[in-house]
Amino acid sequence: MYSSRGEMQATMRKRQNPVILQGSVFHQSRHGSRDSESSSKKPQFHLDLWFYFTVQNWLLDFGRPIVMIILPLEWFPLNKPSAGDYFHMAYNVITPFLLLKLIERSPKTLPRSAVYVCIIMFVMGASIHLVGDSINHRLILSGYQLHLSVRENPIIKNLKPETLIDSFELLYYYDESLGHSMWYIPFFLILFLYFTGCFTHVKEGKAMPLSAWLLVGPSGLYYWYLVTEGQIFILYIFTFFAMMAIIMHQKRKGFVLDSNGLFLFYTFCITLALIAVWVACLWNDKILRKKYPGVIYVPEPWAFYTLHMKDQR
């Protein structure tokens, strides 16, 4: 029998201490083994995400204006959303979701606040662009020419009162300037943040699998369209140089790109080569030169289409 209640409680605590210690040791060993297992695990190529990115980019972004032109106008009256608008709506929902899934799979813990702010800005910018681009493509069906400025377009310059032209210039600003900036800056920033975590030790380095090589061509071609049509060459080249700086910095520490980082870097390399070929082919085009003055001359594909190909259809 215990002489006092205090002695009984002290004895019970002594009996419980080994159990608690064993539980804590087991908890630490279990989590320690999990951490060591995750650190020793080789990086895997995210085939599903990169495939979904490539398909939805080509279908919902590149294919959006094509669908608007091909489908009969009777199906989608000018005062109603077009098929391309619904494609754009789907893009505005699917792309942020894929970006979040990509960030989740990053081996490196990325700043959540920065990611969330980028996603919010991306959705806002893409939504602004949705409205402006919808009206812009409706104007194309009415004779608007993309290779000319707003005030030089035949269907715009004779509008009365002339303040209506200012409204169309505001629409162009929302579509091509503000919308593109709020859309693409956070998009490339998220890709760059993800890229900073795509490094592994030299002895664990892994080349790209065959599936990655099959996707890198279509992906690079799409980003050529994105950069030229979006008029974001400065943003793209700044991101590309930042990626190269990160590669050289990590190489000094003995780290190299994993398969996902290589895929993203090779995609940007192909994009740069395609942009150089595109600019070289249109270097002496006087009309496009007038539309895109200045040192950086990167014509839009749809401006080239309305200038040289639309009347041939």
Side-chain angles (χ1 to χ4, degrees), residues 35-66:
D35 293 339
S36 62
E37 181 181 353
S38 61
S39 62
S40 62
K41 188 177 180 180
K42 291 184 178 180
Q44 299 294 323
F45 180 68
H46 306 321
L47 175 60
D48 54 342
L49 288 181
W50 294 122
F51 176 77
Y52 295 149
F53 261 118
T54 304
V55 171
Q56 70 100 25
N57 284 337
W58 276 102
L59 180 63
L60 300 180
D61 191 19
F62 179 80
R64 170 169 44 85
I66 298 177

Side-chain angles (χ1 to χ4, degrees), residues 135-157 168 172 176 229 287-288 291-292 300-311:
I135 299 174
N136 188 39
H137 281 280
R138 292 307 209 208
L139 292 174
I140 293 175
L141 297 176
S142 301
Y144 186 85
Q145 301 178 29
L146 291 176
H147 61 277
L148 299 175
S149 65
V150 174
R151 291 187 176 272
E152 292 175 343
N153 261 272
I155 67 171
I156 301 292
K157 63 182 181 180
F168 278 100
Y172 182 86
E176 298 295 331
E229 186 64 30
I287 298 178
L288 291 178
K291 173 72 183 290
Y292 306 98
E300 298 174 70
W302 280 104
F304 174 82
Y305 167 80
T306 59
L307 176 61
H308 295 292
M309 300 178 63
K310 184 179 179 181
D311 294 337

Side-chain angles (χ1 to χ4, degrees), residues 44-254:
Q44 299 294 323
F45 180 68
H46 306 321
L47 175 60
D48 54 342
L49 288 181
W50 294 122
F51 176 77
Y52 295 149
F53 261 118
T54 304
V55 171
Q56 70 100 25
N57 284 337
W58 276 102
L59 180 63
L60 300 180
D61 191 19
F62 179 80
R64 170 169 44 85
I66 298 177
V67 169
M68 297 173 66
I69 293 175
I70 293 177
L71 292 182
L73 186 61
E74 294 78 14
W75 294 4
F76 302 95
L78 293 179
N79 61 343
K80 300 293 182 181
S82 67
D85 297 339
Y86 294 113
F87 275 40
H88 206 318
M89 295 176 194
Y91 176 91
N92 292 3
V93 174
I94 296 174
T95 303
F97 174 77
L98 293 178
L99 289 173
L100 287 173
K101 298 301 292 184
L102 191 67
I103 292 298
E104 287 179 3
R105 297 192 188 181
S106 174
K108 177 182 177 182
T109 302
L110 302 175
R112 290 189 176 183
S113 298
V115 172
Y116 292 156
V117 170
C118 287
I119 292 295
I120 293 171
M121 287 186 61
F122 174 90
V123 174
M124 288 183 62
S127 300
I128 292 173
H129 182 267
L130 164 63
V131 178
D133 196 60
S134 175
I135 299 174
N136 188 39
H137 281 280
R138 292 307 209 208
L139 292 174
I140 293 175
L141 297 176
S142 301
Y144 186 85
Q145 301 178 29
L146 291 176
H147 61 277
L148 299 175
S149 65
V150 174
R151 291 187 176 272
E152 292 175 343
N153 261 272
I155 67 171
I156 301 292
K157 63 182 181 180
N158 295 324
L159 287 177
K160 299 297 181 181
E162 292 186 359
T163 52
L164 286 175
I165 302 179
D166 295 332
S167 299
F168 278 100
E169 286 187 327
L170 176 62
L171 176 66
Y172 182 86
Y173 169 77
Y174 274 115
D175 179 17
E176 298 295 331
S177 298
L178 183 62
H180 282 185
S181 297
M182 295 185 65
W183 178 2
Y184 296 130
I185 290 176
F187 178 77
F188 277 88
L189 182 56
I190 289 177
L191 289 181
F192 177 73
L193 289 175
Y194 171 79
F195 182 80
T196 59
C198 295
F199 289 88
T200 183
H201 200 268
V202 174
K203 64 181 181 181
E204 298 176 354
K206 187 178 180 181
M208 290 202 312
L210 177 61
S211 57
W213 287 109
L214 294 176
L215 285 177
V216 72
S219 180
L221 183 59
Y222 166 76
Y223 280 97
W224 161 82
Y225 170 77
L226 184 73
V227 173
T228 54
E229 186 64 30
Q231 292 293 284
I232 53 170
F233 179 76
I234 295 178
L235 173 62
Y236 156 77
I237 202 65
F238 179 81
T239 306
F240 183 69
F241 286 154
M243 292 166 65
M244 294 183 65
I246 290 293
I247 292 174
M248 292 186 290
H249 175 70
Q250 293 290 347
K251 189 176 181 179
R252 296 192 192 100
K253 298 181 178 180

